[in-house]
């Protein structure tokens, strides 16, 4: 059984160092612009921080992956191409790309720079993944969080491209790269502007009925005083449907696959990814430490592997809406 | 050792509520200016120019409102554009990198009202700082 790589998020240099110090095999990061899917004010890396982070990671034998995983906007493809050139120049270990034209550019201009297909590329079947391998020489694909374990296994059995899956973090339920909810409310989406629910469109207000969360004025949710909150995304709002007000699409919750690590390893998953470049170093440290311990235990304990309550308690505390789920991996109804 | 949860004693809040906020705000912004001059606040703080931020300490019933002008921080008395509210112990946990602000937000221990983007930008700038050693000395050993 091969040990999957643990891939952790870094939105800043302290987060990157925290991931490396707590056992990440690889960290992923992005530039301070719309070329990556976490384009938040003040987040991400300038040249000085990136070079220091890459030096720090490589000195400890870890990898740095650079996400350039949004879609070049009309007339601006030079910005995205420049990001790929920058990644090659800095000596990152791989670029994570979604757009076909950008993959083509990277393959032709920097053939020796390893290419991963981003989750934003939205490839959910082996035909799509093998096509990207044939056309652009991708060596890894990150699967959207919508497949069951047997479906992931089916993909792995039919491709030699490495498969990376999400292991922990906020859920995006709509086949990443195909969701229009954020565009509907704000005109910006992960693919176009690198953000779902841009902060400038978000307003929270304490009212006598509770805390209201609004996106471009649209009321997404109203939390009672002790009710846990989630991110202000439309998919995790409470809406009135047929006279009933409830989480009609998805609840504020985080994915957590610690309980099914042995299964994911058995079917041949190459890497486990942690979501959350927008989170702080404290989150990165805690999640990395816990998943490191769990993956190591799944390898060394084999059939005796069991989930330690402390892991789940630690991860549960950090989870969106204070809830955890196995997500699509376990959908008995498919 | 992690910092224990605590709430500031009630009598302290009773006193604080009757004190003018200006002196505390002045001490706070002076500390920020000193830290900046000593190179402890690396990064580009331009985004705070002319913006008004309020940091409210719930268990003290008080807080500070400040702005930045020509690269220096000053206390101000006007309506803030963004307002953070939390207990003193939670602010300390954030500063010590023991708690993630998003976690505290999900748990409803940290509140943000007003200009969310300004608040997020401030949070991200603080996250990008390497933790100064003096903060680590606040931790119980
Ligand atoms: S609205 Fe929800 S499902 Fe859609 S992109 Fe955002 S997080 Fe994903």
């Amino acid at each position: 059984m091969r040990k999957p790589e643990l891939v952790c998020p870094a939105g800043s240099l302290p987060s990157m160092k925290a991931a490396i110090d707590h056992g990440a095999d690889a960290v992923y990061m992005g530039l301070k612009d719309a070329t990556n899917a976490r384009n938040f004010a003040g987040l991400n890396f300038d040249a000085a921080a990136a070079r220091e982070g890459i030096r720090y990671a490589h000195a400890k034998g870890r990898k740095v992956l650079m996400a350039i995983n949004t879609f070049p906007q009309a007339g601006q493809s030079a910005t995205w191409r420049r990001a790929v050139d920058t990644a090659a120049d800095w000596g990152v270990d791989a670029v994570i790309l979604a757009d076909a034209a950008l993959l083509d550019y990277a393959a032709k201009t920097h053939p020796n720079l390893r290419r991963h297909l981003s989750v934003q590329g939205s490839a959910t079947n082996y035909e799509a993944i093998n096509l990207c391998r044939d056309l652009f020489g991708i060596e890894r694909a990150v699967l959207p969080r919508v497949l069951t374990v047997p479906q992931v296994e089916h993909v792995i059995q039919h491709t030699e491209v490495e498969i990376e899956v999400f292991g922990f973090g906020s859920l995006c339920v709509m086949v990443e790269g195909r969701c229009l909810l954020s565009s509907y409310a704000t005109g910006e989406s992960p693919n176009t502007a690198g953000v779902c629910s841009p902060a400038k469109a978000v307003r929270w207000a304490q009212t006598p009925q509770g805390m209201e969360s609004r996106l471009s004025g649209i009321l997404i949710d109203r939390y009672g005083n002790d009710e846990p909150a989630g991110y202000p995304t439309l998919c995790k709002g409470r809406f009135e449907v047929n006279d009933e007000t409830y989480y009609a699409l998805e609840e504020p919750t985080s994915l957590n696959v610690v309980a099914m690590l042995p299964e994911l390893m058995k079917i041949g998953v190459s890497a486990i990814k942690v979501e959350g470049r927008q989170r702080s170093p404290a989150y990165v440290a805690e999640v990395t430490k816990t998943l490191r311990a769990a993956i190591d235990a799944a390898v060394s304990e084999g059939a005796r592997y069991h989930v330690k309550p402390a892991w789940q308690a630690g991860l549960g505390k950090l989870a969106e809406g204070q809830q955890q789920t196995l997500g699509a991996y376990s959908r008995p109804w498919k | 050792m992690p910092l224990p949860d605590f709430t500031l004693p009630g009598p302290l809040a009773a006193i604080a509520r009757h004190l003018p906020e200006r002196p505390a705000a002045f001490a706070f912004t002076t500390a920020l200016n000193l830290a900046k001059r000593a190179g402890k606040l690396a990064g580009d703080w331009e985004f705070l120019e002319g913006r008004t931020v309020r940091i409210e300490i719930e268990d003290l019933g008080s807080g500070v409102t400040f702005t930045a002008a020509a690269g220096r921080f000053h206390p101000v008395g006007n309506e803030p554009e963004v307002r953070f509210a939390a207990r003193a112990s939670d602010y300390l946990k954030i500063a010590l990198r023991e708690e993630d602000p998003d976690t505290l937000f999900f748990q409803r221990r940290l509140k943000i009202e007003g200009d969310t983007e300004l608040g997020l930008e401030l949070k991200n700038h603080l996250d990008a700082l390497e933790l100064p050693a003096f903060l680590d000395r606040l931790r119980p050993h």
Side-chain angles (χ1 to χ4, degrees):
Chain A
M1 201 188 300
R2 113 149 187 262
K3 194 174 192 167
E5 207 174 77
L6 176 58
V7 184
C8 296
S12 67
L13 187 56
S15 286
M16 189 183 279
K17 290 185 173 173
I20 290 163
D21 294 346
H22 288 86
D25 298 305
V27 285
Y28 64 105
M29 43 79 70
L31 299 175
K32 282 181 180 292
D33 61 23
T35 62
N36 74 91
R38 287 288 185 277
N39 178 26
F40 297 132
L43 198 72
N44 295 324
F45 288 74
D46 57 20
R51 284 188 191 276
E52 164 61 8
I54 293 165
R55 185 202 61 75
Y56 192 84
H58 287 171
K60 304 209 166 181
R62 317 302 170 77
K63 293 178 194 146
V64 176
L65 318 178
M66 189 156 126
I68 311 171
N69 57 349
T70 48
F71 289 75
Q73 296 299 293
Q76 297 169 35
S77 47
T79 307
W80 273 258
R81 292 183 175 188
R82 217 177 306 119
V84 175
D85 298 339
T86 302
D89 179 43
W90 288 347
V92 302
D93 298 276
V95 281
I96 309 172
L97 309 176
D99 178 65
L102 199 62
L103 277 159
D104 184 56
Y105 172 79
K108 291 196 174 123
T109 320
H110 306 285
N112 297 326
L113 179 60
R114 208 178 128 98
R115 292 170 295 285
H116 293 181
L117 181 65
S118 166
V119 64
Q120 301 297 128
S122 210
T124 47
N125 55 64
Y126 66 84
E127 287 95 338
I129 291 167
N130 288 340
L131 181 69
C132 284
R133 178 205 54 201
D134 295 346
L135 294 175
F136 316 121
I138 60 161
E139 291 180 65
R140 182 181 293 178
V142 187
L143 293 185
R145 286 158 273 195
V146 294
L147 301 182
T148 62
V149 171
Q151 287 170 329
V152 175
E153 182 175 22
H154 187 68
V155 170
I156 293 173
Q157 281 168 351
H158 292 90
T159 183
E160 69 259 27
V161 173
E162 296 175 0
I163 296 300
E164 178 171 314
V165 300
F166 278 87
F168 185 82
S170 273
L171 262 189
C172 171
V173 289
M174 296 271 193
V175 195
E176 276 93 333
R178 298 186 200 170
C179 176
L180 292 172
L181 288 174
S182 180
S183 293
Y184 166 75
T186 71
E188 293 188 356
S189 78
N191 283 346
T192 58
V195 280
C196 172
S197 307
K200 61 175 182 280
V202 175
R203 284 293 177 277
W204 287 298
Q206 307 293 332
T207 73
Q209 295 87 26
M211 181 180 75
E212 290 187 351
S213 171
R214 286 179 189 270
L215 190 61
S216 284
I218 301 170
L219 183 62
I220 289 187
D221 210 340
R222 191 185 286 132
Y223 305 97
N225 275 340
D226 291 314
E227 235 177 345
Y231 282 125
T233 60
L234 275 180
C235 65
K236 289 163 185 161
R238 260 183 290 209
F239 302 105
E240 200 182 304
V241 183
N242 293 338
D243 299 327
E244 218 188 312
T245 304
Y246 67 111
Y247 291 108
L249 300 168
E250 176 62 272
E251 303 197 338
T253 178
S254 282
L255 176 72
N256 175 0
V257 303
V258 164
M260 52 176 24
L261 276 178
E263 245 177 293
L264 293 175
M265 283 158 61
K266 199 173 88 211
I267 64 172
V269 161
S270 297
I272 306 264
K273 174 170 234 150
V274 173
E275 182 274 347
R277 280 192 288 137
Q278 73 282 10
R279 309 272 309 243
S280 295
Y283 164 93
V284 175
E286 182 71 28
V287 179
T288 305
K289 186 173 73 185
T290 307
L291 275 139
R292 175 80 279 150
I295 292 172
D296 290 350
V299 171
S300 65
E301 293 172 5
R304 285 180 297 112
Y305 173 81
H306 64 281
V307 176
K308 311 245 181 327
W311 298 343
Q312 296 302 66
L315 293 176
K317 203 179 67 127
L318 300 165
E320 185 178 358
Q322 306 288 288
Q323 290 196 79
Q324 308 191 71
T325 171
L326 288 170
Y329 293 125
S330 163
R331 283 275 193 264
W333 45 267
K334 298 245 164 78
Chain B
M1 213 176 91
L3 196 77
D5 268 314
F6 63 83
T7 303
L8 294 177
L12 200 58
I15 298 169
R17 256 191 298 275
H18 291 103
L19 289 176
E21 278 185 15
R22 273 304 179 102
F26 183 74
F28 177 79
T29 52
T30 303
L32 281 183
N33 287 327
L34 286 174
K36 190 155 181 254
R37 201 154 7 122
K40 297 279 196 293
L41 295 183
D44 189 357
W45 295 83
E46 190 76 24
F47 72 96
L48 274 180
E49 278 294 308
R51 312 299 303 269
T52 320
V53 178
R54 177 162 176 83
I55 296 180
E56 225 160 74
I57 302 172
E58 287 176 332
D59 44 354
L60 205 56
S62 183
V64 295
T65 308
F66 66 97
T67 186
R72 287 181 61 81
F73 300 101
H74 300 281
V76 283
N78 44 340
E79 264 301 295
E81 289 167 271
V82 65
R83 187 179 73 89
F84 291 91
R87 286 189 307 164
S89 70
D90 284 335
Y91 282 126
L92 266 178
K93 282 171 198 241
I94 293 174
L96 290 166
R97 302 252 155 97
E98 280 182 13
E99 291 279 15
D100 166 68
D102 291 29
T103 301
L104 296 181
F105 173 79
F106 296 150
Q107 295 179 356
R108 308 292 307 282
R109 284 155 65 186
L110 174 69
K111 296 164 193 79
I112 310 172
E113 281 190 292
D115 187 329
T116 313
E117 190 170 44
L118 177 60
L120 190 69
E121 194 161 7
L122 179 60
K123 180 213 110 165
N124 286 333
H125 269 80
L126 294 171
D127 274 352
L129 295 176
E130 304 262 5
L131 187 64
F134 77 85
L135 273 178
D136 214 36
R137 268 180 253 128
L138 289 176
R139 215 187 284 273
H141 289 284

